[in-house]
Amino acid sequence: MLTVELSTSTRLQRRHAGAIASLVLISILSSLSGFDFHPSISNSWEGLLWGIADPVISLDRLASLVVIGLLSAGMVRGALIAAAFVSAGVFGTVMHLFQVNLVGAEIGIATSTIAFGAMLMILKQPNWLLLLLLGAIAGLFHGYAGTGSAIETGMLPLVIYVLGVTLTQCAVVMSAREMYSMLPNRIRFAGLAFSAIGIVFLRNAINLVM
């Protein structure tokens, strides 16, 4: 019985890892193709589709989701950290809709990715309260930056868009948490990779501002 349970768990972890790898490939291809990350939304169907796609078609945003999932894995309050990230993302969306100015959202996303990657490399067991705070700040930036495609749409498409974004963020973070045990000897390398992604996007974001 134990062997069967372990086998099932391993298969599920591999599926989560395969899903994350597929999303990374999609993000890379989207970035290389010059894809418009903020298309206009005119109806509920488009709101659903872009809501589901928005958090994963940009590599820096996807990287931030995955790394916070890995960091929160195995922690007693890990689910709370994930919930804080997603909830703050919704609040960031509301801020953008009410035209509250949050300067440097893209810079904030890249910086948080670098910080999360560094924590993954250095800290075996991060302080949950610190991670909760950083996760909430990162979620706020994510929500604010990703609302450009829905800023002028109707109320129903907007609500569906936000639900789609929330669903995708939860799915990615929870998948990353599940695949954590597959990376015991590679977790520092993963942290280095995420930090490197953050540095690249931070440079690009600073160049855009300047």
Side-chain angles (χ1 to χ4, degrees), residues 48-209:
L48 176 63
L49 291 178
W50 289 116
I52 292 173
D54 202 31
V56 298
I57 56 178
S58 176
L59 184 58
D60 60 333
R61 296 181 65 192
L62 175 60
S64 185
L65 290 172
V66 175
V67 73
I68 196 170
L70 292 174
L71 275 170
S72 64
M75 299 181 66
V76 176
R77 300 177 179 86
L80 182 60
I81 294 168
F85 178 92
V86 175
S87 300
V90 175
F91 186 68
T93 299
V94 173
M95 287 179 59
H96 199 156
L97 293 174
F98 282 91
Q99 300 181 354
V100 177
N101 191 24
L102 184 61
V103 179
E106 297 293 344
I107 293 176
I109 293 173
T111 303
S112 65
T113 304
I114 296 170
F116 292 146
M119 292 173 70
L120 202 59
M121 283 189 294
I122 299 171
L123 303 177
K124 292 184 178 180
Q125 190 70 17
N127 181 278
W128 76 272
L129 190 57
L130 174 62
L131 190 54
L132 179 73
L133 178 61
L134 290 178
I137 293 173
L140 190 68
F141 285 127
H142 272 253
Y144 187 90
T147 316
S149 55
I151 195 69
E152 296 180 355
T153 191
M155 179 58 67
L156 183 58
L158 173 62
V159 171
I160 294 176
Y161 169 83
V162 173
L163 289 176
V165 169
T166 303
L167 177 64
T168 299
Q169 288 181 335
C170 289
V172 173
V173 172
M174 298 311 293
S175 293
R177 282 168 55 83
E178 290 295 327
M179 60 180 280
Y180 177 83
S181 59
M182 296 178 62
L183 304 170
N185 299 321
R186 302 182 182 90
I187 200 67
R188 289 186 177 179
F189 176 78
L192 176 62
F194 287 121
S195 292
I197 292 172
I199 290 171
V200 171
F201 280 93
L202 177 61
R203 184 187 63 183
N204 293 339
I206 292 175
N207 289 338
L208 289 175
V209 172

Side-chain angles (χ1 to χ4, degrees), residues 12-52:
L12 288 174
Q13 289 173 345
R14 288 176 178 174
R15 289 176 183 175
H16 286 300
I20 294 295
S22 299
L23 292 176
V24 169
L25 179 60
I26 291 171
S27 295
I28 292 174
L29 293 176
S30 298
S31 299
L32 293 176
S33 66
F35 183 78
D36 181 10
F37 294 121
H38 298 296
S40 60
I41 294 175
S42 58
N43 54 58
S44 298
W45 176 245
E46 290 180 353
L48 176 63
L49 291 178
W50 289 116
I52 292 173

